[in-house]
């Protein structure tokens, strides 16, 4: 998903930089995210925060076969997740 329309920065690019150890300020400098209109700053910061070990989220890449993925609470409590679980059970 495109997070920063002005600079055409995707959430995957932000995740890649965050997992490389960069904080929001460094990512902002490298990618230019949230440097023009600023509307994407909260979303970009949220993506960086989710890469923190204290905020587990689903992996964006499938290059880790056999490893369990822990979903964030907001994901597992959402309607879409519950509906998808019902459709799998059927």
């Amino acid at each position: 998903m495109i997070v920063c329309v002005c600079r055409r920065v995707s959430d995957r690019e932000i995740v890649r930089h965050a997992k490389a150890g960069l904080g929001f300020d460094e990512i902002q400098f490298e990618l230019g995210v949230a440097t023009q209109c600023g509307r994407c700053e909260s979303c970009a910061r949220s993506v960086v925060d989710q890469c923190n070990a204290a905020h587990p989220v689903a992996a964006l890449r499938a290059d880790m076969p056999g490893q369990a993925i822990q979903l964030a609470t907001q994901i597992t409590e959402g309607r879409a997740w519950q509906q998808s679980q019902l459709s799998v059970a059927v």
Side-chain angles (χ1 to χ4, degrees):
M1 154 182 88
I2 297 295
V3 173
C4 178
V5 176
C6 298
R7 297 287 184 161
R8 195 169 166 85
V9 178
S10 72
D11 57 343
R12 291 181 182 205
E13 290 176 276
I14 295 171
V15 167
R16 192 172 17 256
H17 282 75
K19 288 190 176 195
L22 277 69
F24 177 78
D25 293 336
E26 292 121 345
I27 293 171
Q28 187 177 34
F29 180 76
E30 289 289 321
L31 300 177
V33 66
T35 57
Q36 286 197 329
C37 75
R39 291 184 180 178
C40 62
E41 184 173 353
S42 63
C43 182
R45 284 186 184 275
S46 176
V47 172
V48 173
D49 289 343
Q50 289 176 359
C51 291
N52 185 340
H55 299 90
V57 294
L60 292 176
R61 298 184 316 197
D63 62 350
M64 301 177 292
Q67 292 184 357
I69 297 173
Q70 183 177 357
L71 298 176
T73 306
Q74 297 97 337
I75 295 172
T76 59
E77 291 178 355
R79 281 188 192 161
W81 175 259
Q82 292 169 358
Q83 290 174 349
S84 71
Q85 293 302 305
L86 289 175
S87 66
V88 170
V90 173

